[in-house]
Amino acid sequence: MIGRPIRPLVALLLVPALVACSVVGDVRRDPPARTSAPPGSVAPAPAPSSQPPAEVRPVRLPVPARYDPPYLEFVDADHGWALFATCDGGPPGRNCPALLFGTVDGGRSWRSLRHPRPVADGQQLYAARGLLVLWAEPHGWYTSTDGGARFSRTAGAPAAWTAAQGRFQVDEGTGKVAEWDGRRLRPLAAQPSVPGLNTVDGSDGLLVVAAGAAGGKPYAAVSFDRGRRWLSTPVPAPDGEVGLVRALVEPDGTAWLVGERPDRTGWPGLWRLRGGWEPVGVDGHPAELGSVAPIGGGLLAVTGSRGAGVVGDGYADLPWPVGPEHYLRVLADTTLAATGPGGEVLLGVGYQTDRRWIQVIVAGE
């Protein structure tokens, strides 16, 4: 889930978040308001003209006109889900039962699936590769591992979804860093000394980073042996306060800290681990930030008030067909998903900043 905070539903939002970033607290969400990469340094440049998507895949599904646009969730470039769960801006109910669809060909075609509890006070959808989870309030959680053919019900959040959040997580119940052992979250014997701890993230190797904020200041600790020992690492003070600090560790071991501003919209503090935490200078960046996604090679893709951009040792705008209204995240196969309002997703297939963008549009009758 995986970014933005995860919030409760009715016409659903995005799974906060960034791939491999741990989730803290209830996973329910609020409804929404409806080139190859540059080498080490990215120089500021004038905002380029946004290029149109290379391909558009519009689909109309057999859904009555009274339904609002669906919530779309892709787990890779091919597999995704569409959930219609609100009508005329109102909550689901007997006159507006939830309708569920799935695609295995990148949104070119969709198949209707039986929703296990279509009438509920609230509907939400979460997905990871090989996993579909539905929350039907107040009836419980419904989990499928076979593409929606069969669902099993649990009263609490399913273990499979907890496992999908990553090996290392902050346990909501204890506030401690915990490791998923295959059945449950197990608090680590050694705990990082991080005031305001809120996220932990790890690479496929030994590196694990814990981060938090207190009194407007960022804090972090690093482990180089999968959480057995922790080293408190000073984080240079940013310009202005931070209200939340997130740790991002890429598969290649590149580690970032993203210090969100208290208003959650201002340009954040950014640090990269290079022996210690080094501030990332980004002259020429937009005033506001929407979302952040690590794309490899020491680069972060971002959305801001000017559209898409990339952060390396500097900032540059990108000509992607992604606007301030889109929310970026990295999918299981490294595809970028830019989710916008109104039943639309942009899929960026490729490597680092060299992406072929496909627009998927799903609507009812």
Side-chain angles (χ1 to χ4, degrees), residues 6 15 52 65 98 100 104 126 131 146 157 171 174 192-193 201 210 231 260 281-282 315 317 336 360:
I6 294 181
V15 171
L100 179 64
V104 296
Y126 307 93
L131 180 66
D146 59 6
D171 185 354
T174 65
S193 178
D201 197 9
L231 175 66
E260 295 185 0
V282 284
Y315 173 84
D317 290 300
L336 277 177
V360 179

Side-chain angles (χ1 to χ4, degrees), residues 80-126:
W81 311 95
L83 178 65
F84 291 81
T86 60
C87 293
D88 299 322
R94 294 193 178 279
N95 295 325
C96 183
L99 302 176
L100 179 64
F101 298 84
T103 181
V104 296
D105 58 8
R108 295 180 181 87
S109 63
W110 296 79
R111 68 193 187 284
S112 177
L113 300 169
R114 186 187 68 83
H115 193 294
R117 195 77 189 217
V119 178
D121 294 338
Q123 299 281 358
Q124 299 177 38
L125 181 152
Y126 307 93

Side-chain angles (χ1 to χ4, degrees), residues 1 9-16 27 29 71-75 80-85 99-102 113 115 122-128 131-136 141-142 151 161 329:
M1 354 165 155
L9 112 351
V10 172
L12 319 151
L13 221 153
L14 319 161
V15 171
V27 293
R29 300 173 281 222
Y71 168 68
L72 298 183
E73 180 84 358
F74 276 80
V75 297
W81 311 95
L83 178 65
F84 291 81
L99 302 176
L100 179 64
F101 298 84
L113 300 169
H115 193 294
Q123 299 281 358
Q124 299 177 38
L125 181 152
Y126 307 93
L131 180 66
L132 172 63
V133 179
L134 303 172
W135 164 246
W141 299 84
Y142 297 83
F151 287 87
W161 178 249
R329 62 190 185 89

Side-chain angles (χ1 to χ4, degrees), residues 217-245:
K217 298 179 180 179
Y219 296 90
V222 174
S223 172
F224 295 100
D225 56 8
R226 295 195 180 97
R228 293 180 179 86
R229 292 167 295 181
W230 293 90
L231 175 66
S232 293
T233 50
V235 182
D239 294 332
E241 294 187 348
V242 294
L244 179 77
V245 178

Side-chain angles (χ1 to χ4, degrees), residues 150-167:
R150 293 181 299 272
F151 287 87
S152 60
R153 180 188 174 278
T154 55
W161 178 249
T162 303
Q165 305 315 302
R167 176 173 177 175

Side-chain angles (χ1 to χ4, degrees), residues 225-293:
D225 56 8
R226 295 195 180 97
R228 293 180 179 86
R229 292 167 295 181
W230 293 90
L231 175 66
S232 293
T233 50
V235 182
D239 294 332
E241 294 187 348
V242 294
L244 179 77
V245 178
R246 292 183 287 115
L248 302 176
V249 182
E250 301 184 51
D252 64 5
T254 302
W256 301 82
L257 295 178
V258 180
E260 295 185 0
R261 302 302 179 182
D263 65 2
R264 295 293 185 93
T265 62
W267 188 265
L270 294 171
W271 300 265
R272 185 163 45 198
L273 187 62
R274 289 174 168 171
W277 293 108
E278 294 184 359
V280 177
V282 284
D283 291 342
H285 64 74
E288 296 184 349
L289 179 80
S291 56
V292 178

